[in-house]
Amino acid sequence: MGLIHVVDHPLVQHKLTLMRKVETGTKDFRILLKEISLLMGYEVTRDLPMESIEIDTPLEHMIARRVSGKKVAIVPILRAGLGMVDGLLQLTPAAKVGHIGLYRDEDTHKPVFYYCKLPFDIEQRMCIVVDPMLATGGSSCDAIDYIKKTGCKNIRLMNLVSVPEGIAAVQTRHPDVDIYTASIDRCLNENAYILPGLGDAGDRIFGTK
């Protein structure tokens, strides 16, 4: 079973509290999401493979460590996941970026697929799927399905806010995928929105409501 990693660093929790506040505007929401994504990225990439190489410092020759092989692919679930990409790219600027387009049907609350474009060598990389909200888990599960069809096996899911229902859905369909989240909130309401949550992340990122 995939592990659940709650990133409870004080700075992550402080910034998440600011994002939750109804009076936080689009500009600040965007900045905070980028900052949290960078901070959470440290935990997601903690076990990247390493290798030893020989280098020269200004004073002497030495054996030093560096990240080895193909590194990271970042795959945001459109559209809200886009808000998490810049923070991760600041941490891993050589990462490849794919995109998966899914939106939630407002009547059925089920994800509807409309777009997929992934790096050609994604199966050789650690793939970080990003979406601010893990609610029903449908979009995340479907996105991971598409990625697995490429042969990629090293997949992590990174969410800002999650709920037990969404976590259970991902663990049931993808028990090999670890989940990284800044908070496990209480539950979903009758419209499948997270409580207490932070509202519609896409609308708050892009100022569309």
Side-chain angles (χ1 to χ4, degrees), residues 59-179:
L59 298 178
E60 65 178 23
H61 191 75
M62 69 168 288
I63 304 297
R65 302 279 283 162
R66 71 176 181 186
V67 175
S68 65
K70 300 287 186 180
K71 300 175 180 67
V72 174
I74 304 164
V75 180
I77 299 176
L78 304 178
R79 64 182 170 141
L82 288 172
M84 304 176 75
V85 172
D86 283 351
L88 287 173
L89 282 177
Q90 189 170 338
L91 185 67
T92 58
K96 300 283 183 71
V97 180
H99 298 86
I100 291 182
L102 293 161
Y103 68 88
R104 187 176 74 160
D105 186 287
E106 294 300 326
D107 295 322
T108 66
H109 303 150
K110 301 291 186 181
V112 179
F113 172 82
Y114 66 92
Y115 183 76
C116 183
K117 183 73 170 179
L118 300 173
F120 73 94
D121 60 351
I122 192 171
E123 77 282 356
Q124 302 175 42
R125 295 173 177 268
M126 173 194 289
C127 180
I128 305 173
V129 180
V130 295
D131 194 357
M133 317 299 283
L134 178 57
T136 65
S139 294
S140 294
C141 285
D142 284 357
I144 294 168
D145 281 339
Y146 284 109
I147 293 167
K148 283 186 173 180
K149 289 176 183 177
T150 69
C152 183
K153 293 180 171 59
N154 187 1
I155 303 170
R156 287 108 194 271
L157 177 62
M158 179 171 141
N159 309 107
L160 189 61
V161 176
S162 59
V163 287
E165 297 96 318
I167 291 171
V170 173
Q171 287 188 318
T172 298
R173 275 176 59 181
H174 299 289
D176 56 328
V177 173
D178 283 7
I179 300 171

